[in-house]
Amino acid sequence: VGLYVPPILRPHIRGYLLGLLEGRLGNTSAAEAWADSLESGARSADDLDLLHDLALELRAVSALAQGDRRLALELLEGASLTATRTQLFDSAFSKRWYGMFLRAELLFEEAPGEALGWYSCFQPLGFSVDYVHLSWSRYRRGEIFENIGEPDSAIAHYGVFVEQWANAEIGRAS
């Protein structure tokens, strides 16, 4: 089973993924070039700023690689996070899971209450789940609750994290 890519994104998915990789590796000029490519992509009525939002994610990763957490967060805050009804069922890219998780991570230390809201986006609701960030978001929520003095909530989130990882099949490709 492969990852579904919505039609609006198919011509651009390679650039988005390469931009993420380049940014994470610290090659910020290449990440910025891929972001430019996304923003210059053809638009459609169904786009609703999807390409622009994904370009902002690449720019945020680039800013983070340069050590500018404030700029990275500002860029992510500029995302519209709007999706059509069709896009909501389309794919992980339409939902912008990575951008939401990155925003939570950037807020974790300085604004834990706000980060908690973003981490809470990662819930197993129906068939729309981001399994990549699900467990780590539980762990982070446990840390936040522990730090604000709510041990029962912290234990509950840590417990879910441990339960999810107890059943992980490390090394198994699906």
Side-chain angles (χ1 to χ4, degrees), residues 87-150:
Q87 286 175 340
L88 289 174
F89 298 104
D90 264 353
S91 78
F93 302 106
S94 296
K95 292 174 190 71
R96 286 106 156 161
W97 293 122
Y98 180 74
M100 289 191 292
F101 190 79
L102 182 57
R103 188 181 302 202
E105 288 288 285
L106 289 167
L107 291 166
F108 178 75
E109 290 179 18
E110 294 180 26
E114 191 175 345
L116 192 59
W118 287 101
Y119 287 126
S120 295
C121 292
F122 301 94
Q123 300 288 340
L125 302 172
F127 60 87
S128 178
V129 180
D130 174 36
Y131 290 104
V132 173
H133 300 107
L134 182 64
S135 293
W136 188 246
S137 73
R138 284 295 192 158
Y139 182 80
R140 287 298 215 187
R141 283 184 269 177
E143 287 184 301
I144 291 170
F145 282 117
E146 182 177 6
N147 291 337
I148 64 173
E150 293 187 28

Side-chain angles (χ1 to χ4, degrees), residues 135 138-139 155-168:
S135 293
R138 284 295 192 158
Y139 182 80
I155 290 168
H157 285 288
Y158 285 142
V160 172
F161 169 78
V162 169
E163 182 180 308
Q164 289 170 340
W165 274 98
N167 297 316

Side-chain angles (χ1 to χ4, degrees), residues 3-170:
L3 181 63
Y4 176 75
V5 178
I8 185 66
L9 193 55
R10 287 181 189 154
H12 309 286
I13 190 60
R14 181 176 181 270
Y16 171 72
L17 294 174
L18 286 172
L20 283 178
L21 181 62
E22 294 286 8
R24 296 290 305 265
L25 292 174
N27 189 353
T28 58
S29 59
E32 292 286 336
W34 286 115
D36 290 342
S37 173
L38 281 174
E39 288 188 321
S40 66
R43 304 269 193 220
S44 77
D46 199 36
D47 177 11
L48 291 178
D49 292 328
L50 175 60
L51 297 177
H52 174 71
D53 284 1
L54 295 177
L56 286 175
E57 288 181 16
L58 296 185
R59 294 186 196 292
V61 169
S62 179
L64 191 56
Q66 295 175 54
D68 195 339
R69 295 175 64 84
R70 181 198 52 77
L71 177 59
L73 185 56
E74 284 178 14
L75 288 163
L76 292 171
E77 287 172 347
S80 69
L81 296 177
T82 304
T84 64
R85 184 181 179 119
T86 303
Q87 286 175 340
L88 289 174
F89 298 104
D90 264 353
S91 78
F93 302 106
S94 296
K95 292 174 190 71
R96 286 106 156 161
W97 293 122
Y98 180 74
M100 289 191 292
F101 190 79
L102 182 57
R103 188 181 302 202
E105 288 288 285
L106 289 167
L107 291 166
F108 178 75
E109 290 179 18
E110 294 180 26
E114 191 175 345
L116 192 59
W118 287 101
Y119 287 126
S120 295
C121 292
F122 301 94
Q123 300 288 340
L125 302 172
F127 60 87
S128 178
V129 180
D130 174 36
Y131 290 104
V132 173
H133 300 107
L134 182 64
S135 293
W136 188 246
S137 73
R138 284 295 192 158
Y139 182 80
R140 287 298 215 187
R141 283 184 269 177
E143 287 184 301
I144 291 170
F145 282 117
E146 182 177 6
N147 291 337
I148 64 173
E150 293 187 28
D152 291 340
S153 294
I155 290 168
H157 285 288
Y158 285 142
V160 172
F161 169 78
V162 169
E163 182 180 308
Q164 289 170 340
W165 274 98
N167 297 316
E169 295 184 36
I170 307 299

